[in-house]
Amino acid sequence: MSGRARPEPVQIVKQRRDAALRALVDGVPYIGFLGIVFERHGDELTALLPYDDKLIGNPMLPALHGGATAAFLEVAAIIELSWSWLWSDIESGRIDAAGIAPPNTPRLPKTIDITVDYLRSGLPRDAYARARVTRSGRRYASVFVEAWQDNRARPHAQATGHFLMPPKPGD
């Protein structure tokens, strides 16, 4: 008999990942106000901003409000950064949903700056975003994020953000 521990059943791992992501997202009321949801495939997250009339900035076009678009990009970046930062602790079981849910919600990275490029008007329909951490250290991180609607190859906005990282739980 081998000394190796048996791997956890895949359903248990998926449930732990989904519960941890849900707890992380639910800890930010503004995400709920905007209606942003996250789809998870392994360690990859896709943010979804479902269309809502309250997101329209110019009803004559109509076009998504630039502030809603910027907030969507920033939220996608912060959640991706937090998710990648906590991933190894979630995978090892050191942190579970209870370790992320209130009152144990970890501090989120703080935005130092974010630069948004509006590439075209956001149409009155669902928008998607994916963020990629380009640099992550103990105190500072950079994230690139792009948003699209019908065609991922045609983003309507993109952003680069720099964030101050909070201390890891237990540090």
Coordinates of all heavy atoms in Angstrom, one line a residue, residues 97-147:
A97 N -15.0 27.9 1.8 CA -15.9 29.0 1.7 C -16.1 29.7 3.0 O -16.3 30.9 3.0 CB -17.3 28.4 1.1
A98 N -16.1 28.9 4.1 CA -16.3 29.6 5.4 C -15.1 30.5 5.7 O -15.3 31.5 6.4 CB -16.4 28.5 6.5
G99 N -13.9 30.2 5.2 CA -12.8 31.0 5.4 C -12.8 32.3 4.6 O -12.0 33.2 4.8
I100 N -13.7 32.3 3.6 CA -13.8 33.5 2.7 C -15.0 34.3 3.0 O -15.1 35.5 2.8 CB -13.7 33.1 1.3 CG1 -12.4 32.5 0.9 CG2 -14.0 34.3 0.3 CD1 -12.2 32.0 -0.5
A101 N -16.1 33.6 3.5 CA -17.4 34.3 3.8 C -17.3 35.2 5.0 O -16.4 35.0 5.9 CB -18.4 33.2 4.0
P102 N -18.2 36.2 5.1 CA -18.2 37.1 6.2 C -18.4 36.3 7.5 O -19.1 35.3 7.4 CB -19.4 38.1 6.0 CG -19.6 38.0 4.5 CD -19.2 36.6 4.1
P103 N -17.8 36.6 8.6 CA -16.9 37.8 8.8 C -15.4 37.5 8.5 O -14.6 38.3 8.8 CB -17.1 38.0 10.3 CG -17.2 36.6 10.9 CD -18.0 35.8 9.8
N104 N -15.1 36.4 7.8 CA -13.8 36.1 7.5 C -13.3 36.5 6.1 O -12.3 36.1 5.6 CB -13.6 34.5 7.6 CG -13.9 34.0 9.0 OD1 -13.6 34.6 10.0 ND2 -14.6 32.9 9.0
T105 N -14.1 37.3 5.4 CA -13.8 37.7 4.1 C -12.4 38.4 4.1 O -12.1 39.3 4.8 CB -14.8 38.8 3.6 OG1 -16.1 38.2 3.7 CG2 -14.5 39.1 2.1
P106 N -11.5 37.8 3.2 CA -10.2 38.4 3.1 C -10.2 39.8 2.5 O -11.1 40.1 1.7 CB -9.4 37.5 2.2 CG -10.4 36.7 1.5 CD -11.7 36.7 2.3
R107 N -9.3 40.6 2.9 CA -9.2 42.0 2.3 C -8.9 41.8 0.8 O -8.1 41.0 0.5 CB -8.2 42.8 3.0 CG -8.7 43.2 4.5 CD -7.7 44.0 5.3 NE -6.8 44.9 4.5 CZ -5.6 45.2 4.9 NH1 -5.1 44.7 6.0 NH2 -4.9 46.0 4.2
L108 N -9.5 42.7 0.0 CA -9.3 42.6 -1.4 C -8.2 43.6 -1.8 O -7.9 44.5 -1.0 CB -10.6 43.0 -2.1 CG -11.8 42.1 -2.0 CD1 -13.0 42.7 -2.7 CD2 -11.5 40.7 -2.5
P109 N -7.5 43.3 -2.9 CA -6.5 44.3 -3.4 C -7.1 45.7 -3.6 O -8.3 45.8 -3.9 CB -6.1 43.7 -4.7 CG -6.5 42.2 -4.7 CD -7.7 42.2 -3.8
K110 N -6.4 46.7 -3.3 CA -6.8 48.1 -3.5 C -6.3 48.6 -4.8 O -5.1 48.5 -5.1 CB -6.4 48.9 -2.3 CG -7.0 48.5 -1.0 CD -6.6 49.5 0.1 CE -7.4 49.0 1.4 NZ -7.2 49.9 2.5
T111 N -7.1 49.3 -5.5 CA -6.8 49.9 -6.8 C -5.8 51.0 -6.5 O -6.1 52.0 -5.8 CB -8.0 50.3 -7.5 OG1 -8.9 49.3 -7.7 CG2 -7.6 50.9 -8.9
I112 N -4.7 51.0 -7.2 CA -3.7 52.1 -7.2 C -4.1 53.0 -8.4 O -4.3 54.2 -8.2 CB -2.3 51.6 -7.3 CG1 -1.9 50.8 -6.1 CG2 -1.3 52.8 -7.6 CD1 -0.5 50.1 -6.3
D113 N -4.2 52.4 -9.5 CA -4.7 53.1 -10.7 C -5.3 52.1 -11.7 O -5.0 50.9 -11.7 CB -3.7 54.0 -11.3 CG -2.5 53.2 -11.9 OD1 -2.7 52.2 -12.6 OD2 -1.4 53.7 -11.7
I114 N -6.2 52.6 -12.6 CA -6.7 51.8 -13.6 C -6.9 52.7 -14.9 O -7.4 53.8 -14.7 CB -8.0 51.0 -13.2 CG1 -8.4 50.0 -14.3 CG2 -9.1 52.0 -12.9 CD1 -9.3 49.0 -13.8
T115 N -6.4 52.2 -16.0 CA -6.5 52.9 -17.2 C -7.5 52.1 -18.1 O -7.2 50.9 -18.4 CB -5.2 53.1 -17.9 OG1 -4.3 53.7 -17.0 CG2 -5.3 53.9 -19.2
V116 N -8.5 52.7 -18.6 CA -9.5 52.1 -19.4 C -9.4 52.6 -20.8 O -9.4 53.8 -21.0 CB -11.0 52.3 -18.8 CG1 -12.0 51.6 -19.7 CG2 -11.1 51.8 -17.4
D117 N -9.4 51.7 -21.8 CA -9.5 52.1 -23.2 C -10.8 51.7 -23.7 O -11.2 50.5 -23.7 CB -8.4 51.4 -24.0 CG -7.0 51.7 -23.5 OD1 -6.7 52.9 -23.2 OD2 -6.1 50.8 -23.5
Y118 N -11.6 52.7 -24.1 CA -12.9 52.4 -24.7 C -12.7 52.3 -26.2 O -12.4 53.2 -26.9 CB -13.9 53.6 -24.4 CG -14.1 53.7 -23.0 CD1 -13.4 54.7 -22.2 CD2 -15.0 52.9 -22.3 CE1 -13.6 54.9 -20.9 CE2 -15.3 53.1 -20.9 CZ -14.5 54.1 -20.2 OH -14.8 54.2 -18.9
L119 N -12.8 51.0 -26.7 CA -12.5 50.8 -28.1 C -13.7 51.0 -29.1 O -13.5 51.3 -30.2 CB -12.0 49.3 -28.2 CG -10.8 49.0 -27.3 CD1 -10.5 47.5 -27.3 CD2 -9.6 49.9 -27.6
R120 N -14.9 50.8 -28.6 CA -16.1 51.0 -29.3 C -17.3 51.1 -28.3 O -17.1 50.8 -27.2 CB -16.4 49.9 -30.4 CG -16.4 48.5 -29.8 CD -16.6 47.4 -30.9 NE -15.6 47.5 -32.0 CZ -14.4 47.1 -32.0 NH1 -13.9 46.5 -30.9 NH2 -13.6 47.2 -33.0
S121 N -18.4 51.5 -28.8 CA -19.6 51.6 -27.9 C -20.0 50.3 -27.4 O -20.1 49.3 -28.2 CB -20.7 52.3 -28.6 OG -20.5 53.7 -28.9
G122 N -20.3 50.2 -26.2 CA -20.9 49.0 -25.6 C -22.4 49.0 -26.0 O -23.1 49.9 -25.7
L123 N -22.8 47.9 -26.6 CA -24.2 47.8 -27.1 C -25.1 47.4 -26.0 O -24.7 46.8 -25.0 CB -24.3 46.8 -28.3 CG -23.4 47.2 -29.5 CD1 -23.4 46.1 -30.5 CD2 -23.9 48.5 -30.1
P124 N -26.4 47.6 -26.1 CA -27.4 47.2 -25.1 C -27.6 45.6 -25.1 O -28.6 45.1 -25.5 CB -28.6 47.9 -25.4 CG -28.6 48.1 -26.9 CD -27.1 48.3 -27.2
R125 N -26.6 44.9 -24.6 CA -26.6 43.5 -24.5 C -25.6 43.0 -23.5 O -24.8 43.8 -22.9 CB -26.4 42.8 -25.8 CG -25.1 43.2 -26.5 CD -25.0 42.6 -27.9 NE -26.0 43.2 -28.7 CZ -25.9 43.5 -30.0 NH1 -24.8 43.3 -30.6 NH2 -26.9 44.1 -30.7
D126 N -25.6 41.7 -23.2 CA -24.7 41.2 -22.2 C -23.2 41.5 -22.6 O -22.9 41.5 -23.8 CB -24.8 39.7 -22.0 CG -26.2 39.3 -21.5 OD1 -26.9 40.1 -21.0 OD2 -26.5 38.1 -21.5
A127 N -22.4 41.6 -21.6 CA -20.9 41.8 -21.8 C -20.2 40.8 -21.0 O -20.6 40.4 -19.9 CB -20.5 43.3 -21.4
Y128 N -19.0 40.4 -21.5 CA -18.2 39.4 -20.8 C -16.8 40.0 -20.7 O -16.4 40.9 -21.4 CB -18.0 38.2 -21.7 CG -19.4 37.6 -22.1 CD1 -20.0 38.0 -23.2 CD2 -20.0 36.7 -21.3 CE1 -21.3 37.5 -23.6 CE2 -21.2 36.1 -21.6 CZ -21.9 36.6 -22.7 OH -23.1 36.1 -23.0
A129 N -16.1 39.5 -19.7 CA -14.7 40.0 -19.4 C -13.8 38.9 -18.9 O -14.3 38.1 -18.1 CB -14.7 41.2 -18.5
R130 N -12.6 39.0 -19.3 CA -11.6 38.1 -18.7 C -10.4 38.9 -18.3 O -9.9 39.8 -19.1 CB -11.1 37.0 -19.7 CG -12.1 35.9 -19.8 CD -11.4 34.6 -19.9 NE -12.4 33.5 -20.0 CZ -12.6 32.8 -21.1 NH1 -11.8 32.9 -22.1 NH2 -13.5 31.9 -21.1
A131 N -9.8 38.6 -17.2 CA -8.6 39.3 -16.7 C -7.5 38.4 -16.6 O -7.6 37.2 -16.5 CB -8.9 39.9 -15.3
R132 N -6.3 38.9 -16.8 CA -5.0 38.2 -16.7 C -4.1 38.9 -15.8 O -3.8 40.1 -16.0 CB -4.5 38.0 -18.1 CG -3.2 37.1 -18.2 CD -2.7 37.0 -19.6 NE -2.0 38.1 -20.0 CZ -2.4 39.0 -20.9 NH1 -3.6 38.8 -21.5 NH2 -1.7 40.1 -21.3
V133 N -3.6 38.2 -14.8 CA -2.6 38.8 -13.9 C -1.3 38.8 -14.6 O -0.8 37.8 -15.0 CB -2.5 38.1 -12.6 CG1 -1.4 38.7 -11.7 CG2 -3.9 38.0 -11.9
T134 N -0.7 40.0 -14.9 CA 0.6 40.1 -15.6 C 1.8 40.2 -14.7 O 2.9 39.9 -15.1 CB 0.6 41.3 -16.5 OG1 0.3 42.5 -15.8 CG2 -0.5 41.1 -17.6
R135 N 1.5 40.6 -13.4 CA 2.6 40.6 -12.4 C 2.0 40.6 -11.1 O 1.0 41.2 -10.8 CB 3.4 41.9 -12.5 CG 4.6 41.9 -11.5 CD 5.1 43.3 -11.2 NE 6.2 43.3 -10.3 CZ 6.2 43.1 -9.0 NH1 5.1 42.9 -8.4 NH2 7.3 43.1 -8.3
S136 N 2.5 39.7 -10.2 CA 1.9 39.6 -8.9 C 3.1 39.3 -7.9 O 3.8 38.3 -8.0 CB 1.0 38.4 -8.8 OG 0.4 38.3 -7.5
G137 N 3.2 40.3 -7.0 CA 4.2 40.2 -5.9 C 3.5 40.2 -4.6 O 2.3 40.2 -4.5
R138 N 4.3 40.3 -3.5 CA 3.7 40.3 -2.2 C 3.0 41.6 -1.9 O 2.0 41.6 -1.2 CB 4.8 40.2 -1.1 CG 5.4 38.8 -1.1 CD 6.5 38.7 -0.1 NE 6.2 39.2 1.3 CZ 5.6 38.5 2.2 NH1 5.2 37.3 1.9 NH2 5.3 39.0 3.4
R139 N 3.4 42.7 -2.5 CA 2.7 44.0 -2.2 C 2.0 44.7 -3.4 O 1.2 45.6 -3.2 CB 3.8 45.0 -1.7 CG 4.5 44.4 -0.5 CD 4.5 45.2 0.8 NE 4.3 46.6 0.8 CZ 3.2 47.2 1.4 NH1 2.4 46.5 2.0 NH2 3.0 48.5 1.3
Y140 N 2.4 44.3 -4.6 CA 1.9 45.0 -5.8 C 1.6 44.0 -6.9 O 2.2 42.9 -7.0 CB 3.1 45.9 -6.3 CG 2.9 46.5 -7.6 CD1 2.2 47.7 -7.7 CD2 3.4 45.9 -8.7 CE1 2.1 48.3 -9.0 CE2 3.3 46.5 -10.0 CZ 2.6 47.7 -10.1 OH 2.5 48.3 -11.3
A141 N 0.5 44.3 -7.7 CA 0.2 43.4 -8.8 C -0.3 44.3 -10.0 O -0.9 45.3 -9.8 CB -0.9 42.4 -8.4
S142 N -0.2 43.7 -11.2 CA -0.7 44.4 -12.4 C -1.6 43.4 -13.1 O -1.4 42.2 -13.1 CB 0.4 44.7 -13.4 OG 1.3 45.6 -12.8
V143 N -2.7 43.9 -13.6 CA -3.7 43.0 -14.2 C -4.2 43.7 -15.5 O -4.4 44.9 -15.6 CB -5.0 42.8 -13.3 CG1 -6.0 42.0 -14.0 CG2 -4.6 42.2 -12.0
F144 N -4.3 42.9 -16.6 CA -4.9 43.3 -17.9 C -6.3 42.7 -18.0 O -6.4 41.5 -17.7 CB -4.0 42.9 -19.0 CG -4.6 43.2 -20.4 CD1 -4.6 44.5 -20.9 CD2 -5.2 42.2 -21.1 CE1 -5.2 44.8 -22.1 CE2 -5.8 42.5 -22.3 CZ -5.8 43.8 -22.8
V145 N -7.3 43.4 -18.4 CA -8.6 42.8 -18.6 C -9.2 43.4 -19.9 O -9.0 44.5 -20.2 CB -9.5 43.1 -17.3 CG1 -9.6 44.6 -17.1 CG2 -10.8 42.5 -17.4
E146 N -10.0 42.5 -20.6 CA -10.7 43.0 -21.7 C -12.1 42.5 -21.7 O -12.4 41.5 -21.1 CB -10.0 42.6 -23.0 CG -9.9 41.1 -23.3 CD -9.2 40.8 -24.6 OE1 -8.7 41.8 -25.3 OE2 -9.1 39.7 -24.9
A147 N -13.0 43.3 -22.3 CA -14.4 43.1 -22.3 C -14.9 43.0 -23.7 O -14.5 43.8 -24.6 CB -15.2 44.1 -21.5

